[in-house]
Amino acid sequence: RRNRKLRAETFDLSKSPHKLHVADCYVDAPERYSSFFDVVVCDPPYGIDAHKKDTFDASQHEYDDSEVAFARVEKELPAVIRAITKPDAHIYLFCDIRRFERLFVAFEIGGFTVWGKPLIWDKGNTGSYGNIEFGPRACYDAILYARRGNKKTVLVKRDVINFTQPTNLPHPAGKPPEVFEDLLSRSCLPGDKVADLFCGSG
């Protein structure tokens, strides 16, 4: 608590601007940011065809959310994140619950220690309809949490996060800032460096 307070009092936010890069994260990130970040929080394609207009209640997802796009996430993202993170780092990766096991295996093979169960983000009454004649509405996302090395948590919280997803965001997969704040509060101290490799509308 004292360490966090001291860092907050002495850290100059004006010297740490956010930087948005329009680039292919698989190629660009490792070249720009070798062993640079303390935490990665990102929301890559799930491979559930969210780009098909009739599947979801929000505006159309314009990015490729095909199985091919997810296969690239599964195959290449662990190595990218390993390249850009410090030897001790945390990773939070939003995913569809049906993809959690595949990502778990990919990141374990990639040299990370993956938490055994997903964190759950309860989005409130927002989400995909699927086929409402035969089943419930999907109103949560899973989050894979993993660590590299021996980075310890700075705050212990529940594994269920409750923040309503707004429906008026410019990007249909946008997340409320409170979700990111909650995740980062578990792993970051003032001055730590954070990357979002799939930041959508920014």
Side-chain angles (χ1 to χ4, degrees), residues 166-187:
T167 56
N168 61 346
L169 296 172
H171 192 286
K175 310 283 184 286
E178 293 85 0
V179 174
F180 290 98
E181 183 180 356
D182 183 282
L183 294 175
L184 294 178
S185 72
R186 301 162 186 251
S187 298

Side-chain angles (χ1 to χ4, degrees), residues 7-19 190-191:
R7 285 185 181 223
E9 289 171 350
T10 58
F11 181 65
D12 184 356
L13 282 172
S14 67
K15 294 181 179 177
S16 181
H18 294 89
K19 298 175 184 176

Side-chain angles (χ1 to χ4, degrees), residues 48-50 52-59 61 96 98 123-141 165 167 172:
I48 59 171
D49 293 330
K52 293 184 177 177
K53 193 172 186 178
D54 59 350
T55 308
F56 287 74
D57 58 333
S59 57
H61 294 62
D96 185 276
R98 295 165 291 182
K123 300 188 285 188
N125 192 29
T126 303
S128 64
Y129 283 108
N131 189 336
I132 58 174
E133 294 180 345
F134 298 101
R137 189 177 188 189
C139 294
Y140 73 89
D141 276 355
Q165 182 178 29
T167 56

